Amino acid sequence: MNKTFEIYIGNNSYRNDIQGVRAIGAMLVLVFHIWFHKVSGGVDVFFVVSGFLMTGMLLRQYAREGKLNPLQFWGGIIKRVVPAAYVVLLITFFLSYFFIPPVYWRQTIHEFVFSAVQMENLLLIRREVDYLESETPASPFQQYWALSIQVQFYIFLPLFIKPLIHISNKIKSLAPMIVGISMLVSISLLYSIFHTSMAPDTAYFNPLGRAWEFLAGGLVAVLIPYIRLTKKFAFIISLLGIFILFSVGLALPKKLNFPGYVALLPVMAAIFLIIAGSVSEKNTVVSMLLSNKFLVMLGAMSFTVYLWHWPILVFFQHYYETTNLGFVKGMMVIVLGVLLAILTTLVIEKPFRRIPKARTWFAYMVGCVFCIPSVSLGLGAKYYLENLHDVEVVFKREFFDGNRITIQNGATNLDYNYVTAISSDLGAIMDKNSDCFTEMDEATIVSCEFGDTSSDNVVVIVGGSHAGQWEPFFSYLANEYGFKLISIVKQSCSLGYEIVEDNRSCKIWNENIIDYLAEINPDLVITNSSRSNRPRENRLVVGDPIEFVPAGHVEKWKEITALGIPVIGIRDNPWFESDPSYCVWKNSREASECARPVEEVLLQENPANEYQDEIPLFISIDFTKLICEDRVCPAFFDERLMWSDTHHLSRTYLKYITLSLKRSLEMQTTIFQTFSSRTNRN
């Protein structure tokens, strides 16, 4: 026995109250996922408790054996986590065929693969997924982001703590371990605060910004044998912990960026509850309530409940075609999740947990038996969809030659391959695998070239994805008129920073963009001019329900035209409340039901037109007649799905209306003919 750490040997009693804390965390997650679509702090409780339990386990192992055995530690994690996690994963995969529409299959299978290799959080970072998005059903595997982060932490923990324990043992003091963990907690927390302010969507899934939550629990595990509490003080902090835990979801605004400094609240709540229940002879009323046998039972299978509730919720949302399930259907999700968790615990988890600790190799074999077939299945399905279905769809007409579109109903002949690929039916700039745009959390200016790249005539597309989506059309013009097209696009960031966007990287990017354009000195800049109505949950400006021109846009137009560079501002396209292509697939005989009324998203007149007189080199362009008809903005036209998601035009549709777009553009400005005549003279 190691004398420096022998105090941890006696700190090995089963904590019923901690299971109660986990149970409350799980129920908060379920309630706020189902009915409120906002952060509850429940997952943060899972992270703190996991850090506390796993660090305590390593400390006790070292105290007993005088060494750490990471392979044995990881083997124990595998036998406890892998069987249930992969059973849920595989059953969800097979049920997805029946509940998930083809529109989402590519994304769903991609997430299945990343979940199977415990990297779902990294995929969600790459996709810049908004975890709180409530308008469209999410992937049925999205909940695996939390397990992925936990697994990543479990891999890291023994490697990090082993040298700290060794040094502490050498000098007969816990100071190196306390200081080392505290330093990493501080660094990770500061990183989380900074990253959350720069890009809150990606910060939510970032393991570097979440590590401090686990390590905070680990620090408590190191210090808890030395903490002495009076019963009165233990009661006070336990009551405070419960109050904070319930307040996070109820009191904090949905739009408050998370995790960052806000995550301190659920983390501190979990720490208070762990510390308050640490001395059994001083049990408080709160710790006794947390030790209730029903909460203990629920807490023991809390993470399995968490894993099950999400696919059930997503399947319900698809089946009932709404993300607002109401009380009865929401309760059905909870009941089904708990029942399946009980069944999984009894049939799957318990038998595998009986694997002897000494038979570490067997635990790794179990991991391979579950993991390898899952990954192989996912990669096979991914190959099938992305390769066998990547065929050119043959339409009756190659190009649309009209001046305006009409509302249509008959979408029954939609090609299955085309539907499954619609979410990736985007131009080169918009492709997530390209290097042609600046990521949401970065500020570096990135550019790509299209068209006649040797030409001295230069046109720049600059702004966010709503500007970048027009690249296929302007690349066509670049080849026809003989100019070089340069794209300068930043994800989720328009040309002209708006303070309501609350994105520091966007602000920095905008501060540098004028100097960058001045250096290029293009003949023309193309960007967006207006903002159309967004879904209610995502509106940037409260009180502006229809279309408006942001002040930041106007400021940048003036700065660019002051350099003698003309600016074309393209009127924004509409946003849909839910995925329009999914709607068309579900209502193929009545595709017009998927259209959105024009008056909900656009003003009668283009609001950017008034700036043409105010800014001499500003040109306002409006393609609305090729996106909407007089009354509605449809989702389907002439065999084509018009939208790749809720607010981006599909590449296939842009290609189809290219000639009509060109004619419309030439009627509104002759600037491109100028490039053509220049090229001919040269």
Side-chain angles (χ1 to χ4, degrees), residues 221-446:
V222 174
L223 296 173
I224 204 162
Y226 300 94
I227 297 174
R228 299 291 181 265
L229 301 175
T230 65
K231 188 169 185 178
K232 181 178 180 181
F233 189 69
F235 173 71
I236 291 172
I237 65 169
S238 64
L239 206 60
L240 184 60
I242 289 290
F243 175 77
I244 294 173
L245 193 54
F246 280 95
S247 297
V248 171
L250 293 173
L252 295 182
K254 180 176 179 179
K255 286 300 181 182
L256 193 63
N257 290 337
F258 200 92
Y261 65 89
V262 184
L264 282 165
L265 292 173
V267 169
M268 290 308 301
I271 290 173
F272 287 164
L273 292 170
I274 291 171
I275 293 174
S278 62
V279 185
S280 58
E281 63 268 20
K282 294 179 181 176
N283 272 344
T284 65
V285 173
V286 174
S287 62
M288 286 190 289
L289 288 173
L290 292 174
S291 300
N292 177 280
K293 64 179 181 179
F294 296 106
L295 283 180
V296 171
M297 181 184 71
L298 180 60
M301 59 182 183
S302 57
F303 208 77
T304 311
V305 173
Y306 171 81
L307 291 178
W308 270 121
H309 93 282
W310 186 261
I312 297 170
L313 173 61
V314 172
F315 294 156
F316 268 53
Q317 290 174 342
H318 279 294
Y319 183 80
Y320 291 105
E321 298 184 31
T322 180
T323 56
N324 299 309
L325 295 179
F327 179 76
V328 174
K329 296 184 183 72
M331 287 302 300
M332 290 171 63
V333 171
I334 292 176
V335 171
L336 280 173
V338 172
L339 290 176
L340 286 171
I342 293 172
L343 185 62
T344 305
T345 300
L346 294 175
V347 177
I348 306 297
E349 286 189 8
K350 285 191 174 181
F352 284 102
R353 286 192 179 188
R354 296 192 188 105
I355 297 173
K357 189 178 294 186
R359 299 178 70 186
T360 303
W361 61 271
F362 191 70
Y364 284 93
M365 285 185 61
V366 168
C368 291
V369 166
F370 280 99
C371 182
I372 292 175
S374 299
V375 174
S376 301
L377 177 64
L379 290 175
K382 186 173 181 289
Y383 176 86
Y384 176 74
L385 282 181
E386 293 187 357
N387 293 282
L388 299 184
H389 281 190
D390 271 350
V391 295
E392 189 67 29
V393 181
V394 178
F395 299 103
K396 292 178 182 176
R397 289 199 295 173
E398 185 176 3
F399 292 106
F400 176 61
D401 56 5
N403 295 320
R404 61 190 309 137
I405 64 172
T406 58
I407 192 72
Q408 297 177 355
N409 274 313
T412 54
N413 293 327
L414 273 176
D415 186 275
Y416 169 83
N417 303 329
Y418 174 47
V419 174
T420 60
I422 194 63
S423 62
S424 57
D425 189 21
L426 301 163
I429 295 176
M430 303 288 289
D431 188 341
K432 288 288 186 182
N433 296 318
S434 78
D435 296 319
C436 287
F437 62 88
T438 301
E439 300 279 1
M440 185 184 293
D441 58 345
E442 297 177 358
T444 305
I445 294 174
V446 175

Side-chain angles (χ1 to χ4, degrees), residues 462-489:
V462 61
S465 59
H466 279 215
Q469 69 181 335
W470 294 101
E471 172 270 318
F473 168 58
F474 286 105
S475 287
Y476 169 85
L477 293 184
N479 288 312
E480 178 165 328
Y481 289 124
F483 62 82
K484 175 165 61 178
L485 179 69
I486 299 178
S487 67
I488 307 173
V489 173

Side-chain angles (χ1 to χ4, degrees), residues 545-564:
I546 311 294
E547 186 182 16
F548 64 101
V549 177
H553 285 24
V554 179
E555 179 185 343
K556 290 301 178 186
W557 301 339
K558 290 180 178 178
E559 291 180 29
I560 295 169
T561 55
L563 299 172

